[in-house]
């Protein structure tokens, strides 16, 4: 319930309400207002949807995210005919649905392909005495990307069926769960990268992290925690402290960054490097991500000291080896559903990966600087596929190398050969 509460709060802060009463000259709500038709008009620069109403009424509009939706509520309105979704709208909208609720509010929900900001305006009454309410969906340069085909689903074989919840309840008396701490990058005053259509990294990665958490929590013997559960700022060190506090067996930071080249695309996994970065891009990215620390008021000098301490901490070798192994599993599971930017786990001096004894990965889910990828990452179904594949990679690793004292380890010893 606690998590659910926060979840709700997060949803509601996105809601920008606008309530306007237009035309006070006619008595409001005296009669049911009829929605006579909805006319959709497509031009190179915008898509408009115009509601033709028999008389004036109250309305409100607001946006919701993940997935992106635009909602129009009309008070005391009924429709007399079925409304159709025109093909011409597909470049901007992925559909709409509507219903009249018991309290007389007619609600129409427009599914948006990207996070655009529709505008609402009231047009003058036409020659048929109809009141017209118009929604304008602006077209940005990239908003008219064709709809992506559904990603290919490939079966990834994991022997999930052999462990079930009943087994877990039976023998978990003295065994602990494997703890995975998921760190949605950025947050609050640090939005992270931004896509050309306005998608913010901090929102995308929180959504993917929440799905990943639910996926992991469904596995018997596993428990996942988030470092942040809504839109607020955490320093990199606070994130590390949470992983330590939760006694994490693994830490995974989720990001979606940008690159100078808008063509750059694909999924990548990073582990800590004790020496140099494995590529110039990895070095550049680590520098970028480490900057988040500066926003918390840490001095540059302190920052370089932190980086130095990363480089000299030799006790991390074993942890890095484990991180690389988990990362390899993740890449293998993600490969069937997403393009890999790099086929192997890359390494660089990410501050957020510097826990000396907790295997840690930083996952770049894709590039928000690539409009096609921005669009894909905003898609809830793709987010689910990605989270599912990441979960499977982690699961495969821990099935093979379960930490001591965990139920998965106990189960493996007692059931593996029976
Ligand atoms: Zn990031």
């Amino acid at each position: 319930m606690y998590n659910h509460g926060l979840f709700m709060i997060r949803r509601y802060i996105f809601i920008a309400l606008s309530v306007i009463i237009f035309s006070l000259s006619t008595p409001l709500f005296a009669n049911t207002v009829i929605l006579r038709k909805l006319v959709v008009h497509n031009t190179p620069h915008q898509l408009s949807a115009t509601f033709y109403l028999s008389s004036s009424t109250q309305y409100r509009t607001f946006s919701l995210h993940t997935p992106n939706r635009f909602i129009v509520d009309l008070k005391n309105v009924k429709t007399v005919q079925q409304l159709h979704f025109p093909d011409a709208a597909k470049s901007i909208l992925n559909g709409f649905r509507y219903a009249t609720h018991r309290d007389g509010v007619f609600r129409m929900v427009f599914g948006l392909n990207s996070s655009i900001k529709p505008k609402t305006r009231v047009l003058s009454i036409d020659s048929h005495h109809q009141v017209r309410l118009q929604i304008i969906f602006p077209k940005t340069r990239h908003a008219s990307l064709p709809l992506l085909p559904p990603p290919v689903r490939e079966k990834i074989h994991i022997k999930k069926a052999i462990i079930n919840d009943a087994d877990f309840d039976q023998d978990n008396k003295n065994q602990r769960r494997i703890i995975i701490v998921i760190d949605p990058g950025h947050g609050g005053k640090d939005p992270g990268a931004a896509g050309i259509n306005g998608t913010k990294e901090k929102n995308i990665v929180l959504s993917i992290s929440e799905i990943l958490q639910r996926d992991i929590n469904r596995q018997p013997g596993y428990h996942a925690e988030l470092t942040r559960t809504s839109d607020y700022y955490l320093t990199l060190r606070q994130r590390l402290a949470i992983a330590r506090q939760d006694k994490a067996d693994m830490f995974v930071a989720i990001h979606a960054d940008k690159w100078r080249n808008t063509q750059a695309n694909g999924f990548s996994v990073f582990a800590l490097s004790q020496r140099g970065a494995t590529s110039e891009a990895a070095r550049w990215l680590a520098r970028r991500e480490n900057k988040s620390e500066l926003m918390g008021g840490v001095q540059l000098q302190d920052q370089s000291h932190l980086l130095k301490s990363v480089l000299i901490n030799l006790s991390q070798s074993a942890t890095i080896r484990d991180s690389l192994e988990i990362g390899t599993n993740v890449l293998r599971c993600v490969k069937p559903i997403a393009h890999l930017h790099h086929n192997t786990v890359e390494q660089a001096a990410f501050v957020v990966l510097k826990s000396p004894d907790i295997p840690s990965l930083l996952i770049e889910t894709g590039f928000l600087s690539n409009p096609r990828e921005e669009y894909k990452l905003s898609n809830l179904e793709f987010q689910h596929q990605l989270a599912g594949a990441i979960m499977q990679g982690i699961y495969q690793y821990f099935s093979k190398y379960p930490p001591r004292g965990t139920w998965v380890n106990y189960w493996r010893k007692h059931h593996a050969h029976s």
Side-chain angles (χ1 to χ4, degrees), residues 339-357:
H339 170 70
L340 300 185
H341 183 67
H342 212 271
N343 273 316
T344 54
V345 182
E346 294 184 84
Q347 288 181 267
F350 290 95
V351 170
V352 79
L353 300 182
K354 79 178 212 84
S355 296
D357 51 352

Side-chain angles (χ1 to χ4, degrees), residues 66-341:
T66 348
N68 294 309
R69 284 154 290 163
F70 186 73
I71 288 103
V72 179
D73 280 348
L74 300 166
K75 202 160 184 178
N76 277 8
V77 166
K78 264 192 184 141
T79 180
V80 289
Q81 57 179 18
Q82 201 165 349
L83 305 169
H84 295 286
F85 179 68
D87 276 353
K90 277 186 181 161
S91 62
I92 299 273
L93 306 175
N94 51 45
F96 67 62
R97 57 176 196 275
Y98 58 90
T100 302
H101 295 276
R102 212 170 297 151
D103 55 3
V105 171
F106 172 89
R107 168 167 289 189
M108 179 163 281
V109 179
F110 294 95
L112 306 176
N113 287 336
S114 58
S115 62
I116 50 169
K117 291 192 180 69
K119 289 188 177 66
T120 309
R121 59 180 185 166
V122 178
L123 303 180
S124 55
I125 293 173
D126 70 1
S127 54
H128 296 95
H129 305 286
Q130 296 180 112
V131 174
R132 292 173 298 165
L133 178 70
Q134 189 171 59
I135 314 296
I136 308 285
F137 301 93
K139 284 185 184 173
T140 56
R141 204 151 46 86
H142 295 281
S144 56
L145 282 174
L147 285 176
L148 291 174
V152 183
R153 286 167 191 278
E154 227 171 276
K155 284 204 182 94
I156 297 164
H157 300 288
I158 48 171
K159 291 174 188 153
K160 221 191 292 183
I162 56 172
I163 300 178
N164 59 46
D165 282 318
D167 282 345
F168 180 73
D169 290 337
Q170 232 171 37
D171 5 289
N172 74 346
K173 308 259 162 9
N174 306 307
Q175 315 297 332
R176 66 176 187 87
R177 290 168 197 252
I178 292 173
I179 310 287
I180 313 291
V181 169
I182 305 163
D183 178 39
H186 313 278
K189 63 187 174 185
D190 171 16
I196 199 147
N197 289 313
T199 310
K200 287 187 182 125
E201 179 183 0
K202 63 175 182 178
N203 298 332
I204 292 287
V205 298
L206 180 60
S207 175
I208 295 172
S209 299
E210 286 171 340
I211 299 167
L212 179 59
Q213 181 190 30
R214 287 197 293 271
D215 279 352
I216 291 174
N217 282 339
R218 267 199 285 271
Q219 311 309 318
Y222 285 79
H223 180 73
E225 285 286 345
L226 296 176
T227 53
R228 69 174 174 97
T229 52
S230 65
D231 186 17
Y232 50 83
Y233 177 78
L234 287 174
T235 66
L236 298 178
R237 266 174 293 185
Q238 283 171 320
R239 294 168 200 262
L240 291 172
I242 291 169
R244 184 149 306 283
Q245 233 166 47
D246 289 346
K247 298 192 168 66
D249 292 292
M250 189 212 164
F251 175 88
V252 54
I254 307 288
H255 287 258
D257 273 275
K258 62 177 182 183
W259 184 240
R260 292 172 289 221
N261 171 4
T262 57
Q263 298 301 308
N265 68 93
F267 178 96
S268 16
V269 176
F270 295 86
L272 184 67
S273 167
Q274 289 178 291
R275 294 169 204 93
T278 47
S279 70
E280 181 50 37
R283 191 195 329 275
W284 185 84
L285 196 63
R287 213 177 297 144
R288 216 188 108 79
E289 295 298 1
N290 292 344
K291 261 194 193 134
S292 179
E293 186 75 355
L294 299 176
M295 306 186 84
V298 179
Q299 298 302 304
L300 248 177
Q301 225 165 351
D302 190 15
Q303 175 74 4
S304 65
H305 168 74
L306 257 178
L307 286 174
K308 242 181 262 161
S309 77
V310 169
L311 295 171
I312 58 170
N313 194 340
L314 295 173
S315 71
Q316 276 176 326
S317 304
T319 308
I320 292 176
R321 203 186 51 224
D322 292 344
S323 308
L324 291 172
E325 176 92 28
I326 305 173
T328 304
N329 277 279
V330 169
L331 284 170
R332 192 175 50 236
C333 292
V334 168
K335 197 173 180 174
I337 60 144
H339 170 70
L340 300 185
H341 183 67

Side-chain angles (χ1 to χ4, degrees), residues 2-20:
Y2 176 67
N3 267 336
H4 184 68
L6 284 174
F7 180 77
M8 291 306 288
I9 290 165
R10 194 170 70 77
R11 283 290 175 276
Y12 277 101
I13 54 171
F14 283 124
I15 297 177
L17 289 176
S18 65
V19 182
I20 298 174

